[in-house]
Amino acid sequence: MSLIKQLWIGIILILLLAMGGSFFISTLTAKAYLEQQLQLKNIDNANSLALSITQMPKDPVSLELLIAAQFDSGHYQYIRFTDPAGEVIAERHFQGTTTDSVPEWFNRMLNIAPKPGLAQVQDGWQQYGTIELLSHSSYAKQKLWHSTQQLLQWLLIAALVCGLLGTVILRFITNPLNQAVIQAEAIGQRHFVTSSEPKTRELRRLVRAMNKLSVSVKAMLDKERQKLERLQIASQKDPLTNLSNREHFVNLLDSATVREDHEQDTAIYLTRLLNLAELNQHLGRDKVDQLLAGLGQVLNDVSQGSTDDFAGRLNGTDFAVVLSDTHQIEKNAHRISAHMLDKLRELGIDTQLVGLPLAASSLKTGEPRGQLLSRLDGLLALAEQKGNRGIVVQKPEQTQGLQRNLADWRVSIEQAINHSGIALAEFPVRDHSGGVIHFERPVRLNIDDNWQSAGYFVGWARRLGLLAHIDEHVLSTALGDIKAKNLPYAINVSESSLCDAHFRTRALELLGQTLEFNAHLWIEFPESCAIRQMPLLKQFSRALRDLGCKVGLEHVGLEFTRIEELQGIGLDYLKIDSAIIRDVDNQSTNHSYIQSLCRIGHSLGMTMIAEGVMTRAEQHTLATLDTDGATGPGIQ
């Protein structure tokens, strides 16, 4: 129960006690007052009647007439005149009926019963008799009933006014408390925010303590992020060019060739700086370092077009970059060569002194890395024979998929979606003891009578604006499977879908209809969403979590240090990119980086899962590096 509800219950109880006590005390006081007044009336009337009888003749007819006249002139229950022996001389009793509107239960609870009035009648010096009379109480009961009703009405009006005033006062008093509650809830969800300190002393101490907690956690995360960035530079980057070093580039390349959601429409470009030793002698080491750094900048800039693009320095003279869209392979090759030439001119280096031949080839899924690099070396040798700016491009094989134009791809993808040509594969994600965390459900489309993985069509679907439509069907299919099997399933949502307002609205509508099953749904976004679409990711992930879903990021680690306010997204898990954990059992280069990454994730309450695990040996090593689970070909 919330504190506001408890305060309201306390206020209502106090009002009930105060007003209820006032009501009953006032009612009982009125009853006692009416009884007292009736008793005084009885005594006064009895004395007055006794005095009148004392002063008149005592014949029976006169006494009867006097008592009858007194009875008829007042509201009496009875008047009785008895002699000293107790014999009745004259008596009158009320015989009629009263229009009594007082409920019977009220009469039983608050019965007005005054004592009768008694007075002695004298005849000279002797007692002649005794007058006893009792006034009728029905009128007093009615008065008490009406006054009680009025009192209750006024108390109810007062209670209503107090409630309205209490609402205003509580709203004023609890406004800083609400801010403290919001901050506490945010901290409970690993959102370490700070709030302004309220004027209320107790709340000020509370908010100040939570602010200190938030600041200390932020400082810890910043420190860990800086450490992670240093580890990333040390283990994955070439210090001079800021490109991926050979080991990390090879891991990225391996990941690209085996990851099924990586676009198959990609190409690799290899360039070589000729005669490096001669350049060092002619230009000097510092100038050559500027040249190498400039080439790294060119390739870094070229690889920023897509999240699937990456560049690296393979050795002292060889540079490589992987770019999507093989239809532009020749154009891209000439563009890269032109950019490198422009960089030489920008640095003031004679372009005739520097040789930068370039080779390009499509990246075939599943092709062994050694075979690929050997083929590129051969192509580069041909480019060298053409001169300093020689370019050799091996165009992709004209498979059926690559022969399609945009219109053909639209027809194929829409037919697959609209004619039940969509399915979800199933791969387990397990903790290190073998238990299932969830099942990954990557999408498959039936194109050309074959179930194609995402890498086959995702690039074209992005260009055609169909990714959001595909993801909507994936979500609907996953929810249907959860209803049928009651198993935890994870689906991928693309950056394009996140940016699509219609998809977000439709997704929330679907999830709003399946609240009892949403706890089994894990929704993951690519790491790029946290870098490029942070406000949208925050808003949408909060809405998903409110509906009971678990939210996470996949392919995490390559650009993790660029994510700002990680604690503000509200994530449940992270999946570490396969390029980082590749061959982790044999190479310790990334061990510290993985541990630091897991430390940040665990401090924010997130489950850390390794992607693309190929062997049991990799999994066993990852278990010692603080990961919580693993998925990939080696996990069954």
Side-chain angles (χ1 to χ4, degrees):
M1 184 182 296
S2 68
L3 180 59
I4 302 300
K5 288 183 179 180
Q6 294 182 37
L7 287 174
W8 266 116
I9 291 174
I11 291 172
I12 291 172
L13 288 176
I14 291 173
L15 282 175
L16 287 175
L17 288 174
M19 293 185 174
S22 299
F23 176 76
F24 284 112
I25 291 172
S26 298
T27 303
L28 293 174
T29 302
K31 172 182 176 293
Y33 174 77
L34 289 173
E35 282 186 339
Q36 184 181 24
Q37 292 301 311
L38 282 174
Q39 185 173 349
L40 292 174
K41 178 179 179 295
N42 291 337
I43 294 172
D44 289 344
N45 289 349
N47 287 331
S48 176
L49 182 58
L51 182 60
S52 298
I53 294 174
T54 298
Q55 295 174 354
M56 64 174 290
K58 306 297 189 294
D59 60 281
V61 175
S62 297
L63 293 173
E64 186 73 27
L65 290 173
L66 180 60
I67 291 173
Q70 181 70 27
F71 184 84
D72 293 337
S73 65
H75 303 286
Y76 297 101
Q77 186 70 32
Y78 66 87
I79 298 178
R80 184 183 298 118
F81 182 33
T82 59
D83 59 19
E87 294 293 331
V88 176
I89 300 174
E91 185 177 16
R92 287 288 187 274
H93 279 274
F94 180 77
Q95 300 293 334
T97 58
T98 60
T99 56
D100 193 354
S101 61
V102 181
E104 184 63 30
W105 61 267
F106 187 78
N107 279 332
R108 288 196 301 269
M109 291 180 62
L110 298 171
N111 185 32
I112 297 179
K115 294 181 181 179
L118 297 174
Q120 303 298 323
V121 177
Q122 300 293 324
D123 186 11
W125 293 100
Q126 295 181 349
Q127 181 180 350
Y128 183 76
T130 301
I131 290 292
E132 180 182 354
L133 61 83
L134 179 65
S135 296
H136 210 294
S137 61
S138 61
Y139 302 102
K141 291 177 181 179
Q142 290 180 8
K143 181 63 178 177
L144 180 62
W145 168 245
H146 291 313
S147 64
T148 302
Q149 286 180 310
Q150 291 176 352
L151 178 62
L152 182 60
Q153 291 173 357
W154 281 110
L155 287 175
L156 290 176
I157 293 173
L160 181 61
V161 172
C162 289
L164 293 175
L165 289 175
T167 300
V168 175
I169 294 171
L170 265 183
R171 187 169 298 173
F172 175 76
I173 294 175
T174 59
N175 183 53
L177 179 60
N178 290 333
Q179 297 301 320
V181 170
I182 292 173
Q183 185 183 18
E185 290 176 345
I187 291 175
Q189 296 176 359
R190 303 300 193 275
H191 301 171
F192 295 96
V193 298
T194 56
S195 300
S196 57
E197 295 184 4
K199 295 180 181 180
T200 308
R201 181 186 305 169
E202 293 79 6
L203 293 179
R204 184 165 62 245
R205 292 175 58 193
L206 173 63
V207 171
R208 186 178 298 165
M210 291 194 296
N211 283 342
K212 287 182 178 178
L213 173 62
S214 296
V215 170
S216 62
V217 171
K218 282 185 177 180
M220 181 271 293
L221 289 175
D222 289 339
K223 184 178 180 180
E224 287 292 334
R225 187 178 288 111
Q226 292 170 6
K227 179 181 178 182
L228 191 67
E229 188 172 6
R230 291 194 298 270
L231 289 172
Q232 183 181 33
I233 293 173
S235 62
Q236 301 174 14
K237 298 292 184 179
D238 176 66
L240 180 59
T241 62
N242 201 35
L243 296 172
S244 297
N245 58 29
R246 178 181 177 86
E247 181 180 338
H248 187 56
F249 181 85
V250 166
N251 288 340
L252 289 171
L253 193 60
D254 289 343
S255 177
T257 56
V258 300
R259 213 176 75 194
E260 68 169 39
D261 62 341
H262 192 280
E263 292 187 34
Q264 295 181 12
D265 184 20
T266 56
I268 182 169
Y269 305 80
L270 179 65
T271 186
R272 177 172 295 158
L273 180 60
L274 301 179
N275 304 320
L276 180 60
E278 296 177 6
L279 288 174
N280 275 323
Q281 292 178 359
H282 186 78
L283 298 177
R285 184 177 182 85
D286 292 340
K287 196 66 175 180
V288 172
D289 285 347
Q290 290 181 19
L291 171 60
L292 293 172
L295 294 177
Q297 182 182 351
V298 168
L299 296 183
N300 260 328
D301 293 341
V302 168
S303 63
Q304 296 302 311
S306 169
T307 55
D308 290 328
D309 298 346
F310 54 93
R313 185 182 184 186
L314 302 185
N315 53 45
T317 60
D318 290 358
F319 300 83
V321 60
V322 174
L323 303 178
S324 56
D325 193 357
T326 54
H327 278 69
Q328 304 290 330
I329 184 171
E330 190 165 357
K331 181 179 178 181
N332 285 338
H334 287 280
R335 179 168 62 94
I336 294 171
S337 181
H339 285 334
M340 291 191 296
L341 184 61
D342 291 340
K343 179 58 69 174
L344 293 178
R345 292 171 179 158
E346 180 184 328
L347 294 173
I349 298 175
D350 186 356
T351 57
Q352 299 300 319
L353 294 176
V354 181
L356 286 168
L358 185 143
S361 174
S362 61
L363 190 62
K364 300 176 183 179
T365 302
E367 181 180 11
R369 183 212 317 153
Q371 179 179 327
L372 171 64
L373 295 178
S374 176
R375 177 159 52 86
L376 279 173
D377 279 336
L379 293 174
L380 191 59
L382 294 176
E384 289 180 21
Q385 295 176 10
K386 290 186 174 184
N388 286 350
R389 303 289 174 269
I391 297 175
V392 173
V393 176
Q394 185 181 56
K395 294 185 178 180
E397 298 176 2
Q398 294 299 309
T399 62
Q400 184 176 359
L402 293 175
Q403 288 175 347
R404 288 189 180 90
N405 56 31
L406 279 175
D408 295 334
W409 272 107
R410 181 180 293 276
V411 171
S412 298
I413 293 174
E414 288 182 345
Q415 283 182 347
I417 295 173
N418 298 327
H419 296 87
S420 301
I422 186 170
L424 301 181
E426 184 172 307
F427 303 109
V429 177
R430 299 184 182 276
D431 58 32
H432 295 305
S433 61
V436 173
I437 298 176
H438 61 244
F439 292 94
E440 288 185 336
R441 305 299 305 276
V443 63
R444 299 283 188 272
L445 288 187
N446 192 344
I447 299 176
D448 302 331
D449 295 326
N450 289 312
W451 289 104
Q452 306 289 356
S453 62
Y456 184 77
F457 58 81
V458 67
W460 297 100
R462 182 184 297 110
R463 297 184 189 100
L464 293 166
L466 295 176
L467 275 182
H469 194 36
I470 294 174
D471 284 346
E472 182 180 332
H473 281 271
V474 169
L475 174 61
S476 178
T477 303
L479 288 174
D481 290 347
I482 290 173
K483 289 181 183 179
K485 301 178 182 179
N486 201 32
L487 292 174
Y489 288 148
I491 61 172
N492 311 103
V493 175
S494 66
E495 183 178 346
S496 300
S497 299
L498 175 64
C499 298
D500 190 295
H502 175 76
F503 170 80
R504 297 196 303 273
T505 302
R506 181 60 181 152
L508 296 179
E509 288 177 356
L510 289 173
L511 293 169
Q513 299 168 7
T514 60
L515 294 176
E516 64 273 27
F517 301 103
N518 292 347
H520 291 302
L521 183 63
W522 301 56
I523 299 178
E524 51 199 50
F525 301 89
E527 182 185 55
S528 59
C529 290
I531 299 172
R532 302 182 183 183
Q533 311 296 340
M534 176 63 81
L536 276 178
L537 181 61
K538 277 186 179 181
Q539 178 185 0
F540 193 45
S541 65
R542 188 177 301 114
L544 293 175
R545 285 167 61 92
D546 289 342
L547 290 171
C549 304
K550 292 181 174 61
V551 182
L553 295 181
E554 61 175 346
H555 313 323
V556 167
L558 301 180
E559 300 291 341
F560 188 77
T561 55
R562 292 175 56 194
I563 300 177
E564 298 179 358
E565 298 183 8
L566 178 68
Q567 71 277 8
I569 305 176
L571 299 174
D572 296 289
Y573 65 101
L574 298 177
K575 289 187 174 178
I576 305 173
D577 193 273
S578 57
I580 296 174
I581 61 93
R582 176 71 59 236
D583 206 21
V584 71
D585 55 319
N586 296 321
Q587 299 180 7
S588 60
T589 307
N590 284 328
H591 284 195
S592 297
Y593 183 79
I594 294 172
Q595 285 181 314
S596 184
L597 184 62
C598 291
R599 189 156 49 245
I600 292 177
H602 288 155
S603 67
L604 296 174
M606 292 184 282
T607 302
M608 303 300 293
I609 300 169
E611 291 180 332
V613 177
M614 304 296 293
T615 65
R616 288 290 182 184
E618 284 184 352
Q619 183 187 7
H620 292 325
T621 302
L622 288 167
T624 66
L625 299 178
D626 299 331
T627 60
D628 302 304
T631 181
I635 306 298
Q636 300 298 328

